[in-house]
Amino acid sequence: MSHTTGAASQKGSFLNELRDAVTPRATLLVLGVLALQLLFIASYVGALHDPEPRDVPFGVAAPGAAAGRTVAKLAGLPGTPLDPRVVRDEADARKKIMDREIDGALVVDPRGTRDTLLVASGGGTALVTTLEGLVTEVERAGRRTVRTVDVAPASARDFDGLSSFYLVVGWCVGGYLCASILAISTGARPADPRRAAIRLIVMALVAIVGGLGGAVIVGPVLGALPGAVVDLWGLGALITFAVGAATLALQGVFGIVGIGLAILLVVVAGNPSAGGAFPLPMLPPFWKAIGPALPPGAGTWAARSVAYFRSNDLTLSLLVLWAWAVAGTAITMLAAVLRRRREGTRLPTQAG
């Protein structure tokens, strides 16, 4: 009898401890983590499991009526992998590729049967391989051959043109981890505007150091990217601060849950849509649409432009990153001000 009573007592004690440990708040956080896990799998596999080119901007340089015929032939490929348009000549095609207006071009030689395919592996080798396959098939059907010329070749130490993407991922990780640590150490929501400002200043200092460190590692140390260290440094500092400020803003509004929301935006949605492993024209429509508006996508585009395209076509990406940085800073400060006002209003009421 005493044995049975003791067992029941131990069981009751265990259930009480379990009930105390698994609070409603903890339960919600665990469910949130589970949701992030499943979203991570769905996002990465959904974006990257079956890459196909869709409406890739592509130039055609050919004399007279041959240009129209070639454009029609390329536009009629099954699945519309290419979005062909006529360019004046090879020089114009090269310029548009370097300006990142098009991803490749076919230069038709009217005097022979061998044409030239212009590509830019600095923008991602997966797309180059795809363009070579598509154009070779079309040329073969017309009893022509094609040679490939790389207008903006990736560095010999930049395998598959992925170094820019990994560099940006590192800067993004530094941004949200630093912001998360600042929140965990002293509370997710800053107590007042002064503390919020201190967090933003610390975040800016970390961004400056991290931006320089990343630029030096991929440049002088590893020789992975040929871009100017100063340009990459500035870009890295902006990316790190933009992600960090956005994370601080989410924490200021939603508390500890803001860290999960930052991971959702940057890691779950941002990384697979960044155009890293597969350039944007090879991603499904949803990821292709959201990628340029998120820090990893804007950062990857900008890093590749700095490294391989003479810093062309940077404006939109930089505006996106600055928007995240400015909005994150403003919301972080505003959330702190509103919280201070709420607490100031609550204290007289409690005292009365």
Side-chain angles (χ1 to χ4, degrees), residues 211-310:
L212 176 60
V216 170
I217 288 172
V218 301
V221 175
L222 298 178
L225 290 180
V229 170
V230 173
D231 292 343
L232 289 174
W233 178 12
L235 176 63
L238 176 58
I239 292 170
T240 305
F241 182 78
V243 173
T247 304
L248 289 174
L250 290 169
Q251 291 167 359
V253 175
F254 299 102
I256 197 69
V257 175
I259 297 176
L261 294 176
I263 293 174
L264 176 65
L265 284 172
V266 177
V267 179
V268 175
N271 286 351
S273 65
F278 300 107
L280 290 175
M282 299 186 70
L283 297 180
F286 173 75
W287 286 269
K288 180 180 178 180
I290 67 171
L294 297 174
T300 298
W301 181 275
R304 283 176 170 163
S305 290
V306 170
Y308 296 117
F309 296 92
R310 303 170 189 165

Side-chain angles (χ1 to χ4, degrees), residues 303-323:
R304 283 176 170 163
S305 290
V306 170
Y308 296 117
F309 296 92
R310 303 170 189 165
S311 294
N312 292 327
D313 199 20
L314 278 175
T315 303
L316 182 58
S317 296
L318 293 180
L319 287 175
V320 168
L321 294 170
W322 273 111

